[in-house]
Amino acid sequence: MICEPACRMNFKNLREYLAWLYYQYLLITGIYVLEPWEKSIFNSILFSAIAMVIYTSYVFVPIHVRLALEFFSGIFGGQPESTMALMN
Amino acid sequence: MTESSANKLLNGDACHRTANGRKASKNGFVKNHCLFQQPHKYRRPREKNQNVTHNSSLYKKPFSESFEETPLLVAVLTYMGYGILTIFGYLRDFLRHWNIEKCHVARERDEQKDFVPLYQDFENFYTRNLYMRIRDNWNRPICSVPGAKMDLVERVSHDYNWTFEHTGKVVKDVINMGSYNYLGFAENTGTCADAAIEATQAYGVGVGSTRCEMGNLDIHEEMEQLVARFLGVESSMAFGMGFATNSMNIPALTGKGCLILSDELNHASLVLGARLSASTIRVFKHNNMQSLEKLLRDAIVHGQPRTHRPWKKILIVVEGIYSMEGSIVRLPEIIALKKRYKAYLYLDEAHSIGALGPNGRGVVDYFGLDPKDVDIMMGTFTKSFGAAGGYIGGKKELIDYLRRHSHSALYATSMSPPVAQQIITSMKIIMGEDGTTLGADRLRQLSENTTYFRRKLREMGFIIYGNDDSPVVPMMLYMPAKIGAFGREMLKRNIGTVVVGFPATPIIESRARFCVSAAHTRETLNTALEAISEVGDLLQLKYSRREQPLPSLGWMSEESLLQD
Ligand SMILES: Cc1ncc(COP(=O)(O)O)c(C=O)c1O
């Protein structure tokens, strides 16, 4: 959705493209119409929320993945021979 | 540009009354023998598309009208945007409440503190916290003729639109895509202007009395005869203001014990008139003949509530072109219904008179119908004729009755002579009675411009509402921030547009509305189109997911009928 008109827009450099993306972000969230201090409040809340999400996922996801792997390998990896025997 | 506030009345009311209508119809409905078959109920069509003509035998021409459905993602993002803005609105209200921030708007005084709050309903909240932020797009002062191009007074705001300051400069030659100047008669030179100057020299500007006292000039009588001839009706009468024509004449026509069936998107003046009349009002879905027929049948079968006496009169109130939707009324079907169920028809041709039809005589002419089938032909001189005021045309008895009973005929000062002269001259030009083909040229130019402009916008991928022949072209913007951004970006490119938001439209269907004019040349339109396309890319407005403009199905079915 974003790409096709972006090609039509003819950006001179990356900076311009990023500025355009930021503009789209302003328009879609509606904060385009807000006053600068409100914009900065919104941005800081949004970015700190995103940062927290990233941080928590960095801290906790590996542990959960390992636990999950152990759990599933406990189910599937535990008794391979007996399953094979049943099937035979 | 003031439409948004003017329509507040209309919108709040429409919601209200729709609920009413639904309640009334729940009492029971009558099956079979419908003139127009009801399609499957409760099935939400994927596309709000009325492209397929239901009763194509009634139409002489293809009737293609489309309302492309809002893309789901866009709808979700729009609601999200409104959500975010609402949260900030509450934040600002909170700051104002505790005097952390200065409050610029009216609020209750200390003495009123414990009374019912005055400024807490949604409309006030919306005005204070959403409309105010993009207010620079409306009410902009113009300092020239609002023709194809106009000059704007430059203004700036240093406090985020709470107050404005004029810089003393003028923005020159802004292309005007917003005025209802369909035939381009808003001019300060040329035949009409000269005639108006002559009339001023002969009669002056003020009249200073009403029509039934000392304010009945020969120029008024001449104008009324001309209007009647133009419309093809027996008689007509003119009023000094279009809004008052509606809001004061409907009460003169209907009263207690009468039923008014009103389209849900009718103009505020019609809504006000209907309410002032004290008749019962029921609302049918926009241009939806099944809905209208159902209301008519219910009204006839059940009669008035409680007493079940028959209604004294049933009046159907519709407009020719709907100014927010760009749709054209399904007049042939309405006339068929009206004849079958013996109702009266009030047709408001404010936007369509002059702008539609091969001879510029409005929707009746456009569909090739007989003007005598419409009981009350109402219209305004404010749009195509470049003047002011409104008229009512119809049978002689009707007009004679109105002359004696209408408030705006009895109590309002009659029309200013130069305005009347402008109407006479422009109408004669349209009718070709000035001995030139200027009028015909303007009509042709308008219809060419309309087709061209609509086709180009559609090809660019914008979502355009309405009928293919309507010079009112609404283009969907949806998101609240884009309303402000579109107006500002277009003005930066020297193009003046009208953007419309919530009170006048449903909350997510914000739009920009262009009015095509015969005064626009191809170059002007191309300049405007280029700018619209550029802004469309910048703001990501090309929402349409339709590959090609649909072929008009109405015409195809017509042809196949002919071959049988
Ligand atoms: C359908 C309709 N009726 C009536 C009016 C009011 O006419 P006037 O502006 O001449 O008062 C308008 C104006 O916008 C209109 O759109």
Side-chain angles (χ1 to χ4, degrees):
Chain A
M1 184 187 164
I2 297 285
C3 165
E4 187 211 331
C7 310
R8 239 184 282 153
M9 288 284 296
N10 280 331
F11 297 105
K12 284 193 207 78
N13 49 35
L14 185 68
R15 239 191 85 162
E16 222 172 77
Y17 179 62
L18 289 181
W20 182 77
L21 278 186
Y22 180 64
Y23 190 59
Q24 295 310 309
Y25 158 76
L26 290 183
L27 286 174
I28 288 174
T29 50
I31 61 173
Y32 169 85
V33 301
L34 299 185
E35 292 170 26
W37 66 270
E38 289 170 310
K39 267 184 208 155
S40 42
I41 289 184
F42 183 83
N43 283 336
S44 27
I45 291 178
L46 187 72
F47 286 117
S48 47
I50 292 176
M52 274 191 270
V53 167
I54 292 175
Y55 177 71
T56 35
S57 47
Y58 171 72
V59 171
F60 291 107
V61 165
I63 301 173
H64 281 285
V65 168
R66 215 187 58 231
L67 286 177
L69 276 180
E70 271 168 25
F71 176 71
F72 283 113
S73 62
I75 292 176
F76 297 117
Q79 319 130 323
E81 279 111 10
S82 58
T83 326
M84 291 300 282
L86 258 178
M87 278 177 71
N88 284 338
Chain B
M1 299 198 180
T2 53
E3 197 103 13
S4 68
S5 54
N7 272 344
K8 270 182 187 168
L9 178 70
L10 171 140
N11 222 284
D13 187 63
C15 312
H16 192 70
R17 285 177 301 136
T18 317
N20 236 347
R22 214 178 293 137
K23 210 191 297 159
S25 58
K26 226 187 280 170
N27 300 344
F29 64 94
V30 195
K31 285 227 175 72
N32 296 330
H33 312 302
C34 284
L35 195 53
F36 302 146
Q37 285 297 316
Q38 303 222 358
H40 296 291
K41 280 168 53 191
Y42 310 122
R43 196 199 61 202
R44 189 162 168 270
R46 211 183 101 64
E47 183 144 329
K48 286 197 288 176
N49 188 353
Q50 308 176 345
N51 219 324
V52 188
T53 328
H54 296 296
N55 298 282
S56 48
S57 58
L58 289 173
Y59 293 89
K60 298 197 174 74
K61 256 192 286 197
F63 185 80
S64 84
E65 204 155 88
S66 73
F67 299 91
E68 192 174 334
E69 201 197 15
T70 311
L72 185 66
L73 180 66
V74 175
V76 171
L77 291 176
T78 308
Y79 279 120
M80 186 193 75
Y82 274 111
I84 293 171
L85 291 182
T86 309
I87 292 171
F88 275 97
Y90 278 118
L91 173 69
R92 298 297 291 268
D93 271 2
F94 175 81
L95 295 183
R96 282 183 203 121
H97 182 77
W98 294 103
N99 282 328
I100 303 171
E101 182 192 351
K102 191 170 167 292
C103 182
H104 298 273
V105 276
R107 63 201 294 192
E108 289 92 350
R109 286 188 291 171
D110 278 342
E111 299 91 311
Q112 294 170 299
K113 211 169 73 238
D114 300 319
F115 286 82
V116 179
L118 293 173
Y119 303 108
Q120 268 183 15
D121 64 350
F122 180 70
E123 301 248 314
N124 274 304
F125 179 86
Y126 183 88
T127 313
R128 205 164 49 225
N129 293 310
L130 281 91
Y131 169 70
M132 264 317 193
R133 298 178 190 274
I134 49 173
R135 190 161 75 110
D136 53 321
N137 288 301
W138 289 277
N139 306 104
R140 205 182 279 279
I142 295 169
C143 54
S144 71
V145 190
K149 296 205 172 150
M150 58 186 173
D151 301 340
L152 298 183
V153 176
E154 193 180 71
R155 58 175 193 186
V156 288
S157 174
H158 299 296
D159 53 0
Y160 300 101
N161 294 347
W162 289 102
T163 57
F164 288 105
E165 225 171 74
H166 291 181
T167 59
K169 278 187 254 166
V170 169
V171 191
K172 285 257 174 213
D173 285 336
V174 178
I175 295 179
N176 179 359
M177 296 303 298
S179 293
Y180 304 133
N181 181 20
Y182 300 119
L183 290 179
F185 279 115
E187 292 168 319
N188 55 3
T189 53
T191 333
C192 292
D194 293 344
I197 291 168
E198 266 170 41
T200 315
Q201 278 159 356
Y203 298 91
V205 175
V207 179
S209 185
T210 64
R211 284 300 289 283
C212 59
E213 289 162 9
M214 307 285 279
N216 191 21
L217 306 185
D218 58 350
I219 199 170
H220 292 135
E221 306 248 319
E222 183 191 345
M223 171 177 65
E224 286 176 350
Q225 277 154 19
L226 185 69
V227 171
R229 201 144 50 79
F230 179 67
L231 297 173
V233 293
E234 282 175 18
S235 182
S236 87
M237 79 178 294
F239 304 86
M241 178 184 175
F243 192 97
T245 312
N246 279 333
S247 53
M248 293 291 109
N249 283 311
I250 297 179
L253 293 168
T254 62
K256 257 198 150 61
C258 301
L259 175 68
I260 293 182
L261 298 177
S262 163
D263 191 290
E264 63 180 342
L265 296 182
N266 271 348
H267 190 256
S269 55
L270 294 167
V271 173
L272 181 66
R275 286 163 152 203
L276 285 177
S277 73
S279 327
T280 307
I281 305 163
R282 289 190 186 145
V283 179
F284 58 93
K285 292 210 199 79
H286 174 55
N287 232 351
N288 184 327
M289 292 307 116
Q290 282 85 35
S291 170
L292 173 61
E293 180 165 28
K294 186 163 175 337
L295 286 185
L296 274 170
R297 292 167 70 81
D298 282 350
I300 288 169
V301 172
H302 298 293
Q304 300 185 30
R306 285 200 300 280
T307 58
H308 294 290
R309 286 204 201 115
W311 294 101
K312 288 189 192 146
K313 276 174 242 170
I314 299 180
L315 182 67
I316 304 172
V317 181
V318 290
E319 285 179 33
I321 294 182
Y322 289 85
S323 59
M324 282 296 152
E325 239 53 26
S327 50
I328 296 180
V329 65
R330 298 175 163 271
L331 196 62
E333 291 172 71
I334 292 198
I335 287 184
L337 280 178
K338 154 201 143 57
K339 281 188 177 156
R340 169 153 188 172
Y341 296 101
K342 309 253 180 318
Y344 296 100
L345 177 57
Y346 187 108
L347 175 65
D348 180 344
E349 295 221 69
H351 290 266
S352 52
I353 191 76
L356 274 187
N359 307 307
R361 295 176 190 196
V363 265
V364 177
D365 188 24
Y366 174 75
F367 288 115
L369 300 165
D370 184 1
K372 306 219 163 46
D373 285 338
V374 180
D375 301 285
I376 301 128
M377 300 260 271
M378 182 270 164
T380 63
F381 302 120
T382 26
K383 278 101 191 173
S384 300
F385 302 103
Y391 63 79
I392 288 216
K395 289 220 171 61
K396 186 152 185 323
E397 294 92 331
L398 170 85
I399 303 299
D400 287 345
Y401 172 83
L402 282 179
R403 274 187 210 285
R404 276 178 289 113
H405 289 90
S406 158
H407 279 30
S408 52
L410 288 175
Y411 301 115
T413 301
S414 53
M415 191 184 272
S416 176
V419 174
Q421 186 59 53
Q422 162 86 16
I423 296 163
I424 295 175
T425 318
S426 57
M427 198 171 278
K428 280 192 173 155
I429 292 178
I430 298 173
M431 292 163 85
E433 289 190 1
D434 60 336
T436 64
T437 58
L438 279 175
D441 291 345
R442 282 181 198 247
L443 288 169
R444 194 167 27 78
Q445 179 81 31
L446 175 64
S447 84
E448 275 172 19
N449 283 354
T450 303
T451 321
Y452 179 73
F453 194 71
R454 277 190 169 264
R455 180 168 55 84
K456 280 283 173 192
L457 283 184
R458 196 160 275 165
E459 278 170 10
M460 286 173 191
F462 294 106
I463 294 189
I464 302 295
Y465 272 10
N467 193 297
D468 286 352
D469 290 325
S470 132
V472 182
V473 189
M475 183 182 112
M476 304 315 287
L477 303 174
Y478 297 114
M479 293 169 206
K482 291 187 182 179
I483 308 175
F486 186 79
R488 290 175 196 165
E489 289 294 331
M490 289 303 282
L491 196 62
K492 258 191 227 164
R493 289 161 177 77
N494 240 18
I495 292 166
T497 53
V498 176
V499 283
V500 201
F502 157 64
T505 67
I507 192 129
I508 73 158
E509 292 182 7
S510 311
R511 60 197 70 176
R513 190 192 49 188
F514 307 111
C515 291
V516 182
S517 160
H520 292 136
T521 58
R522 212 20 95 79
E523 291 80 60
T524 322
L525 283 185
N526 281 337
T527 319
L529 282 165
E530 246 164 59
I532 295 170
S533 176
E534 201 181 305
V535 177
D537 282 332
L538 182 67
L539 307 188
Q540 293 279 296
L541 295 174
K542 301 185 173 172
Y543 300 114
S544 181
R545 292 163 301 171
R546 205 181 264 170
E547 292 299 304
Q548 279 282 309
L550 287 178
S552 58
L553 298 172
W555 182 237
M556 290 183 355
S557 60
E558 199 92 47
E559 272 184 334
S560 59
L561 273 181
L562 289 179
Q563 281 162 5
D564 283 346

